[in-house]
Amino acid sequence: MVNEISWKIGGEAGYGIDTSGQAFARCCSRGGLNVRTVSEYPSLIRGGHNTFHVTASEGDLQSPKKELDMLVCLNKETVDRHYKQVKKGGIIVYDADEVKIETAKYRSDVEWFSVPLLAITVELKIDKVMRNTVAVGASIGLLDYDIEILRDMMGKKFAKKGESVISANLGAIDKGYEYVKKNYKGNFKAKLKKCTGPCARPLLNGNDALSIGAIKAGCKFISAYPMTPATSVMINLASVEKEYSIVVKQTEDEIAAVNMTIGASIAGARAMTATSGGGFSLMVEGLSLAGATETPIVIVLAQRPGPSTGLPTWTEQSDLKFALHGGQGEFARILIAPGDHEECFWAGVESFNLTEKWQCPVIILTDKHLADGFSTVNIDESKAKIDRGLLMTDAQAAKETDYKRYEFTANGVSKRAVPGMVNFMHVAVGDEHEEHGRINEDEGNRTDMSDKRNKKLNFILKELPEPKLYGPENAEITLISWGSCKGPVLEAMKELEAQGIKANFLHYIYVWPLKTEKLVKLMDKAKKTVVIENNKTAQLGALISEVIAKQVKYKVLKYNGRQFYPSEITEKVKEIAKNGKETELVVR
Amino acid sequence: MKMNGEMMAIKITDLNTPETITWCPGCGDMAILMGVKGAIAELGVEQKDIVIVSGIGCSSYVPQYVKTYGVHSLHGRSLPVASGIKLANNKLTVIAEGGDGDGYGIGMGHFIHIMRRNIDLTYIVHNNAIYGLTKGQTSPTSKKGMVTKSTPAGSLEEPVNPEALAILGGATFVARVYAGDVVHMKKIMVEAVKHKGFALVDVLQPCVTYNSFNTYQFWQQRVYKLEDEKGYDVKNKWKALERASEQGMHADRIPIGIFYKEERPTYEDGVPEIRDVPCAKQPIDGIQIGKILERYK
Ligand SMILES: Cc1ncc(C[n+]2csc(CCOP(=O)(O)OP(=O)(O)O)c2C)c(N)n1
Ligand code: SF4
Ligand SMILES: [Mg+2]
């Protein structure tokens, strides 16, 4: 049996669901396992239903898996909402004193095991909020996992808070664990073993990874306005602002955020902002200013479902076209959509190199699932390189006699100087300008300047890597997707293979400019092509047909605010492989 | 050239650019440009260390006409762009500039917030009480009842009072000057730039083409200098507020000069890590992130 489990805890907001979920996840990652998580919470401060879902595996694991081995219910709502998600032979843990249900009416093909969570907190004279900690101890008991990892972790975590907090937490863990060891006589088979592999890798969410990448790249300035799910990018940089000398400015709105970022970049700092769709809407005029003035900026666009406020704490990939087309006029931009947490880190690094090298805005498209979900990562920072493109030095300035900020060049990129340098004085202007940066409305200059700004794309396209192909060169079915769908598709491919369906998968990180060489070859060869997207209108599919004038025939879409699970993709792709009459398949 | 008995490092002509000035003949912006250039010449700051950041409007052409670094940004956005520049490199002298529509209309949100931040930059507003570049619509400072193309029956709104707003908003230097008195204007601008903290210089600027109410004559007859008032104390916030509220830019008597001045730590003072080496000048090669990753284990 594979050393892998899927575990979920649920309860009302305020029950410490996130804390206990993260503790469980971290405890798995410290045991050397690969971890992927999903947390669900409504857009409320108090009340509402929260869950934290952890999949941990000794083997390769690219995505959380929907089917649960264990469901821990701190309230009845968790039972009602998620009991169907438990595998046959799985277990549902609850507190019969609090959750009064007739278990047989729900399911009889799973085990039900009551742990007196509340009674234990009363016995220990600790806050009843700590039922969650008791429940984690009990979960570890049921999984026969190493309780010492958790005890050690809690000891360290609360070291600063003093003896009484540590002993309360350890008491709760131990009691939960011991209760199971004494009283559980059932037949639950799923077990979890720590493994000897590379222990204790970092467990990061997408925003963490991206922020750390940005720090590595020398980002020295962030101006942003809080918006879920992007907020923690600013928070992460703020948490190390002194250590790494980063200016972190929370602004009055996203208009100020993007324009301050532009100002900081004009002054020579690597600068970024982070937001979600609503904030990005306010930023597009600034985006266009960066395009016109050829100012390097990085914008993180962590997507969430729209339109308008939409589902603020859920996930979707519905801003691809908006990110591509937002902003008046025509100018080059680069869109990076990392597929997992390691790719988030590298997007954090590479975005700054690209934006400075090409002097055009770079937008990193993530989404709530990627931004908020955790996974264990391997990051080798020694591979990171810094490339500041044509940023001038003071020494170069001394030689300059007739500096042209917007000089026409072969690839459209001109020497970039920043205030404080002699001989380089110029005005960065959003009006059309000639090579020196002086406003100019002549038709010839206009055409040349527009060519200059836009031809960069051809050169960028040449330099960007082709999208990565997973699986064999030749397959019956070619799956195409972008960004955070990567994990569930990769897991689905394993399931498909086990069921005799040969698929390959082209995953786009760089969604603009769009590399198409590999794509066209694959589309010519494949019997069936399927685009898989976490949105309603198959935006990458549409972009592909716009660029190569060929249709991806099938679409598997999900836009209910939740990310794909592998099994959902497997099921839909099987349907396409078997009959394929329907071309648009929606996971509801 | 000699001024104030000191040798000048920069001559006014050093500040010229090849641009052709496109303002209407007689426009108050010409005088403001002279004031700005004169002030820069007098400051003794090297041109390469000055950045003039403007928005969009007639007034926002200033960076085109002064040889320093410049950003001619978006309508209403000079302040955030200027703030970003200053926070990234606090060694630079940053001057933001724009119109009344730019600063007190579309950019009002930024204006209010920069004052409480007290970022060390100077904000020069060409206040002509009209939208010039878009050819004559009402502005946030237009006098109530003023007939413009967009208010043919007269504007129905009270005008914004920038000085009163700034005094209450936490600006540490609040001044009004009149484009018809270049010498006075320049003197106040020099003080504003030298002031450590956010300085507002609201300039009464006749728009000879679209504002037939606030003319040179109108202002010439009404302005008086605060520094000539016996006992006027620029440190007395409440007296300054009283003066600013009672005597707005359309009043019968209009004070010019410094209304209010206060010493308060700047925003940058609160960010000690950039004081010695601005963040834009810090080396970025070889930054190690291992210790952050360690915390996530
Ligand atoms: C977002 C945006 N809205 C509208 C405009 C059009 N516009 C340009 S200048 C201007 C107003 C100019 O008035 P003011 O700021 O007072 O400057 P002035 O021309 O009077 O110096 C407007 C509305 C614009 N450029 N951008
Ligand atoms: S329209 Fe008014 S503000 Fe604009 S240049 Fe002419 S006179 Fe000056
Ligand atoms: Mg105006």
Side-chain angles (χ1 to χ4, degrees), chain A residues 285, chain B residues 56-59 75 99-102 106 128 130-134:
Chain A
E285 195 192 15
Chain B
I56 296 292
C58 296
S59 37
H75 190 38
D100 42 313
D102 197 272
I106 193 167
N128 56 10
I130 196 82
Y131 280 21
L133 193 65
T134 46

Side-chain angles (χ1 to χ4, degrees), chain A residues 26 30 200 203-204 216 243-245 249 252 255 260 263 381 418 420-422 424 426-428 430 438, chain B residues 19 48 69-72 77 80-81 85 110 113 117 267 280 282 285 287-291 295-297:
Chain A
R26 210 160 287 280
R30 289 208 180 177
L203 182 70
L204 305 180
K216 177 74 194 173
E243 225 175 313
Y244 287 88
S245 283
K249 186 74 209 82
E252 55 273 26
I255 300 176
M260 271 196 208
E381 66 168 312
V418 302
M421 294 178 168
V422 280
F424 279 131
H426 68 277
V427 180
R438 297 178 196 130
Chain B
E19 299 301 299
K48 70 174 178 66
Y69 278 90
V71 187
H72 189 164
R77 313 303 165 205
V81 173
I85 293 173
H110 311 310
H113 288 283
R117 288 177 192 142
Y267 188 91
Q282 286 169 15
D285 262 316
I287 291 171
Q288 297 299 314
I289 43 110
K291 56 186 168 181
R295 293 171 205 155
Y296 286 89
K297 283 182 181 170

Side-chain angles (χ1 to χ4, degrees), chain A residues 5-9 24 53-54 67-72 86-87 90-93 135-136 138-143 188 190:
Chain A
I5 57 104
S6 194
W7 173 93
K8 185 178 206 168
I9 187 167
F24 185 86
H53 175 177
V54 179
E67 301 70 22
L68 300 172
D69 297 292
M70 187 185 302
L71 174 66
V72 180
V86 181
K87 292 177 194 165
I91 193 164
I92 299 178
V93 178
V136 174
S139 301
I140 288 181
L142 286 163
L143 291 165
F188 176 58

Side-chain angles (χ1 to χ4, degrees), chain B residues 118 167 170-173 195-196 234-235 237 260-264:
Chain B
N118 199 30
I167 292 164
T172 51
F173 183 105
H195 171 75
K196 197 165 155 280
V234 294
K235 295 205 178 75
K237 191 166 193 163
Y260 181 64
K261 206 176 153 176
E262 172 192 336
E263 299 292 325
R264 201 171 78 221

Side-chain angles (χ1 to χ4, degrees), chain B residues 142-283:
Chain B
S142 296
K143 186 177 161 66
K144 190 172 182 182
M146 179 150 139
V147 172
T148 70
K149 284 187 190 163
S150 59
T151 54
S155 133
L156 295 172
E157 295 166 348
E158 289 296 336
V160 163
N161 183 321
E163 288 74 19
L165 212 53
I167 292 164
L168 271 183
T172 51
F173 183 105
V174 181
R176 179 195 283 144
V177 294
Y178 165 48
D181 186 345
V182 178
V183 175
H184 179 252
M185 175 167 60
K186 187 192 74 183
K187 189 182 107 200
I188 301 287
M189 283 176 177
V190 169
E191 283 199 49
V193 177
K194 284 188 174 159
H195 171 75
K196 197 165 155 280
F198 178 78
L200 171 70
V201 182
D202 184 49
V203 191
L204 304 174
Q205 176 235 325
C207 164
V208 295
T209 307
Y210 296 111
N211 188 338
S212 54
F213 174 72
N214 301 107
T215 58
Y216 282 102
Q217 200 189 12
F218 174 89
W219 275 322
Q220 195 71 50
Q221 286 167 355
R222 288 168 172 79
V223 295
Y224 70 93
K225 295 195 175 103
L226 283 170
E227 53 265 41
D228 295 342
E229 296 285 287
K230 255 214 194 110
Y232 187 82
D233 176 8
V234 294
K235 295 205 178 75
N236 189 328
K237 191 166 193 163
W238 306 116
K239 285 279 181 237
L241 184 61
E242 215 174 278
R243 190 79 65 142
S245 340
E246 279 169 9
Q247 302 185 341
M249 62 184 285
H250 306 297
D252 289 339
R253 290 195 74 226
I254 304 170
I256 56 173
I258 301 169
F259 279 77
Y260 181 64
K261 206 176 153 176
E262 172 192 336
E263 299 292 325
R264 201 171 78 221
T266 63
Y267 188 91
E268 306 87 279
D269 287 338
V271 194
E273 55 272 26
I274 57 166
R275 203 180 294 146
D276 299 329
V277 186
C279 72
K281 296 288 171 204
Q282 286 169 15

